[in-house]
């Protein structure tokens, strides 16, 4: 299914990516804003000028909450929310997307990849998950290690801590992605010592292919 033109918008200005708590990301470009995965470990978001889209990678509560969506729609009443069928089944008013779909919102062109959440345990059902590639330069996989094909990733948001995550596998994911730059996300389940240790592992993996690792705290940004 194709929801919009695949034509990539010209990046006349750098895109700013701000890390919020846990897995939430804010993307800003040309005065427009997109929010990804505003979940239960993320503080209420403010300064939502120019909000043109919200993206939710999967249905788990650390990636979205009804309260966050209510606040986001108060800031931008008709903002489209793109999410998996599992989020829609949970009662959210969203536009359902699947791997292979493309949407355009303001200066952002988003393609969706992957399809399934990483396995937590055989007793826990595996849910849908979409990785998010924005303007062919920034990639965030949600809760998976699945990568888009044939893409030169200039900036990667790499999960660093989760019930499904083994740090060696996270390192292999970064090695396979070969990003120009990377930062860690999905981190609220880690202690400070654990976060620093896991970041160091991802930094090593990033540097093996000549990339640069950026250690972002909540509220800090990087441009691409």
């Amino acid at each position: 299914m194709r929801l919009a033109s695949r034509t990539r918008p010209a990046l006349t200005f750098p895109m700013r990516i701000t890390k919020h708590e846990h897995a939430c990301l804010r993307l800003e470009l040309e005065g427009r804003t997109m929010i990804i995965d505003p979940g239960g470990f993320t503080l209420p978001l403010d300064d939502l000028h120019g909000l043109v889209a919200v993206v939710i990678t999967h249905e788990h509560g650390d990636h979205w909450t009804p309260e966050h969506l209510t606040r986001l729609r108060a800031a931008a009443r008709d903002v489209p929310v793109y999410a998996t069928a599992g989020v829609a089944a949970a009662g959210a008013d969203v536009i359902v997307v699947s791997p292979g779909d493309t949407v355009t919102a303001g200066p952002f062109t988003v393609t969706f990849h992957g399809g399934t959440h990483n396995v937590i345990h055989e007793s826990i059902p595996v849910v849908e998950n979409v990785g998010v590639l924005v303007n062919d330069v920034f990639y965030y996989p949600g809760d998976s290690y699945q990568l888009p094909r044939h893409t030169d990733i200039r900036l990667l948001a790499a999960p660093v801590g989760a019930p499904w995550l083994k740090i060696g596998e996270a390192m292999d994911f970064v090695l396979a992605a070969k990003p120009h730059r990377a930062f860690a996300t999905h981190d609220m389940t880690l202690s400070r010592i654990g976060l620093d240790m896991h970041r160091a592992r991802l930094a090593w993996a990033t540097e093996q292919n000549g990339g640069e690792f950026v250690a972002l705290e909540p509220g800090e940004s990087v441009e691409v």
Side-chain angles (χ1 to χ4, degrees), residues 6-27:
R6 184 63 183 85
T7 303
R8 175 182 165 185
L11 297 184
T12 56
F13 299 97
M15 180 165 59
R16 177 182 292 268
I17 294 88
T18 301
K19 182 195 182 315
H20 291 280
E21 295 83 9
H22 197 54
C24 184
L25 304 169
R26 178 195 303 253
L27 281 61

Side-chain angles (χ1 to χ4, degrees), residues 67-202:
E67 293 78 14
H68 271 301
L69 291 191
T70 296
R71 283 190 290 266
L72 290 166
R73 283 182 162 134
R77 180 178 176 182
D78 297 321
V79 65
V81 179
Y82 301 102
T84 61
V87 179
D93 179 13
V94 303
I95 300 168
V96 173
V97 291
S98 301
D101 289 344
T102 298
V103 302
T104 298
F108 304 105
T109 295
V110 185
T111 59
F112 298 95
H113 301 268
T116 57
H117 191 289
N118 262 34
V119 174
I120 301 172
H121 186 263
E122 62 182 11
S123 66
I124 300 174
V126 175
V127 302
E128 295 173 282
N129 176 91
V130 287
V132 180
L133 179 65
V134 183
N135 290 357
D136 286 338
V137 297
F138 170 69
Y139 186 65
Y140 163 63
D143 282 10
S144 80
Y145 295 134
Q146 295 165 315
L147 285 165
R149 295 181 180 180
H150 312 304
T151 296
D152 182 25
I153 298 174
R154 288 169 54 190
L155 181 64
L156 174 70
V160 73
W164 51 268
L165 187 150
K166 179 180 177 182
I167 192 59
E169 294 172 349
M171 293 165 69
D172 285 341
F173 168 71
V174 174
L175 287 168
K178 299 181 175 66
H180 295 222
R181 286 188 292 170
F183 66 93
T185 187
H186 208 285
D187 53 13
M188 287 292 283
T189 60
L190 296 175
S191 68
R192 184 74 242 183
I193 292 173
L195 176 58
D196 290 343
M197 180 176 67
H198 282 32
R199 279 178 174 172
R201 301 299 185 191
L202 296 191

